[in-house]
Amino acid sequence: MRPGQRLTRPRPRSSATEELGPGPGMSPGDIADHNSRVALSLIRTFGPLTRQELATRLGLTEPAVTGIMNRLDAQGLVLKRKRSGTGRYHAAEFALQRGGAYGLGISLAGDKAEVALVDLLGTVAARSDIHGPDIQAQLPEAVAVLLADTAQCMPVGLGLAFAPECAPEAEMIERLLPGRPIFVMPDTEACLTGERLLGLGEPEGGLVVVLIDETVRAGLFIGGKTFRGMNGRAGKIGEMRPGRLHPSLTEVANRHAYRRAQKAGPSALADWTETVAGRLLEAVVAIAGFVSPGALLLGGALPDAVLDGLIAQMQVQRNDQARTFVAAPWIPPIRRVSLDGGGIAIGAAMTPMMELLLARSA
């Protein structure tokens, strides 16, 4: 992975600066870059803002805000327009420029890859799916074709999200987008990014996503950061077992188990739904008992109707349990992921823009 350039001028950035924001010993370039990122993040979060509104939120003078917005305007990231209203005076406001910046995202799974080109507003400009036995060999050409068809939409960087057991090869990564920064992440992190920026947002207490396909796994956004745990093992809930001789959550709930139940008929599918809902509820109770997130989202490769059925059955079992004992004082609201396909490719595409253009807490 290569570090990205700043919004103002390309100088090195220390990790402390990235985490803490402006402080003693920072250069004017550091401060200008930070303020530009925060201003862009505010507009992306709250919509068009006037110079006065930005000055209030940033804690800066209006002339200072003018300088920031002039830089962002020159880079094609924002546009200036008159605010609509019924009065005689219409203040100037700044909005994100549609197509002002793009990110390229890839979701890499065992038998499928999705490529998406997304702008800073979250609008998908182009999308393609790749199927076959050797996905990674096909990816560089697929990316080249997509970018050739959208020649005016060169991305600022690439986000590559992968499912377990699908880690991308280093040689293939280097061929995808030469000369641009590349960010590689588990698919759960990309899903979280998509939800935070374009879906549910950041509820108080944090956010947990659970993805089900060949495995069951969770991603945790807690305390304003993605929580990875020791050696990145946080979220390995698919390995949970109620006992040594019992199958794991992944073995019970994965896509292959669902297909077997589906082929066996309605009765088998109903039994599968009840069993998986109970096992998922155990995982949710364990998560809620320790981190108490504000929301939990369920997604992955299962059909939406199946996910909705699991969520409904989890609520039924939760209500039944509440009559006899309280397993945890807080169970977060459980719902399906907001974005199509779990938003993994979209979240991956938003990652380079989040890293290169937006404030770290965006």
Side-chain angles (χ1 to χ4, degrees):
M1 293 183 291
R2 298 175 56 252
Q5 291 186 342
R6 61 173 68 233
L7 286 175
T8 49
R9 67 185 84 171
R11 287 186 184 173
R13 173 191 296 277
S14 71
S15 58
T17 297
E18 290 183 358
E19 293 295 329
L20 300 177
M26 291 184 61
S27 71
D30 288 323
I31 296 172
D33 177 63
H34 173 82
N35 289 336
S36 295
R37 287 173 178 265
V38 174
L40 201 62
S41 297
L42 288 171
I43 296 171
R44 199 204 65 79
T45 301
F46 297 104
L49 296 171
T50 65
R51 201 177 275 106
Q52 184 178 32
E53 289 167 342
L54 284 165
T56 299
R57 292 181 180 275
L58 288 166
L60 300 173
T61 65
E62 290 192 37
V65 169
T66 298
I68 293 171
M69 302 320 293
N70 285 343
R71 286 194 297 272
L72 294 175
D73 182 35
Q75 293 161 352
L77 296 172
V78 301
L79 60 87
K80 183 179 177 181
R81 66 191 188 192
K82 293 292 185 181
R83 173 168 288 180
S84 61
T86 57
R88 295 179 60 186
Y89 173 70
H90 299 281
E93 65 180 11
F94 297 91
L96 288 185
Q97 178 72 264
R98 187 171 296 278
Y102 289 91
L104 185 67
I106 296 175
S107 172
L108 182 60
D111 58 351
K112 175 185 175 182
E114 181 183 354
V115 184
L117 185 68
V118 182
D119 76 1
L120 196 53
L121 287 162
T123 304
V124 178
R127 197 176 212 155
S128 66
D129 291 331
I130 308 167
H131 300 271
D134 197 358
I135 296 294
Q136 296 202 29
Q138 301 179 56
L139 265 178
E141 182 179 355
V143 168
V145 169
L146 184 143
L147 292 180
D149 291 340
T150 55
Q152 303 303 314
C153 307
M154 179 54 66
V156 299
L158 166 68
L160 176 55
F162 61 94
E165 312 302 327
C166 297
E169 301 169 359
E171 182 180 353
M172 184 274 293
I173 294 174
E174 295 173 357
R175 296 166 52 204
L176 289 173
L177 198 63
R180 302 280 174 164
I182 297 176
F183 304 87
V184 182
M185 71 212 79
D187 56 0
T188 49
E189 289 192 18
C191 184
L192 284 169
T193 297
E195 286 292 340
R196 289 167 49 215
L197 297 181
L198 304 171
L200 184 65
E202 297 184 11
E204 182 182 0
L207 178 64
V208 174
V209 297
V210 175
L211 300 180
I212 304 173
D213 45 40
E214 275 63 42
T215 67
V216 182
R217 56 209 179 274
L220 295 83
F221 184 77
I222 306 295
K225 295 182 180 180
T226 301
F227 181 75
R228 299 180 178 89
M230 178 69 73
N231 298 322
R233 290 185 58 81
K236 303 288 186 180
I237 61 173
E239 299 174 9
M240 293 177 62
R241 302 171 185 266
R244 215 175 86 180
L245 301 179
H246 290 75
S248 68
L249 175 56
T250 284
E251 291 170 325
V252 169
N254 69 26
R255 181 165 51 175
H256 303 297
Y258 159 71
R259 287 173 176 167
R260 286 194 300 268
Q262 184 186 39
K263 289 180 181 178
S267 177
L269 187 57
D271 290 343
W272 177 86
T273 300
E274 184 175 355
T275 299
V276 172
R279 294 290 299 274
L280 285 171
L281 185 60
E282 292 173 1
V284 170
V285 168
I287 292 170
F290 284 96
V291 299
S292 191
L296 186 141
L297 306 181
L298 196 61
L302 298 179
D304 289 348
V306 175
L307 294 174
D308 290 339
L310 287 171
I311 292 170
Q313 182 61 35
M314 289 169 71
Q315 185 60 54
V316 168
Q317 295 188 20
R318 170 62 179 165
N319 292 340
D320 288 343
Q321 289 181 0
R323 297 189 183 98
T324 55
F325 74 101
V326 178
W330 164 250
I331 298 293
I334 304 170
R335 51 172 283 186
R336 187 157 37 89
V337 292
S338 304
L339 304 178
D340 181 39
I344 295 170
I346 294 175
M350 294 298 295
T351 297
M353 293 186 286
M354 183 176 67
E355 293 292 331
L356 303 175
L357 302 178
L358 300 176
R360 291 300 183 267
S361 61

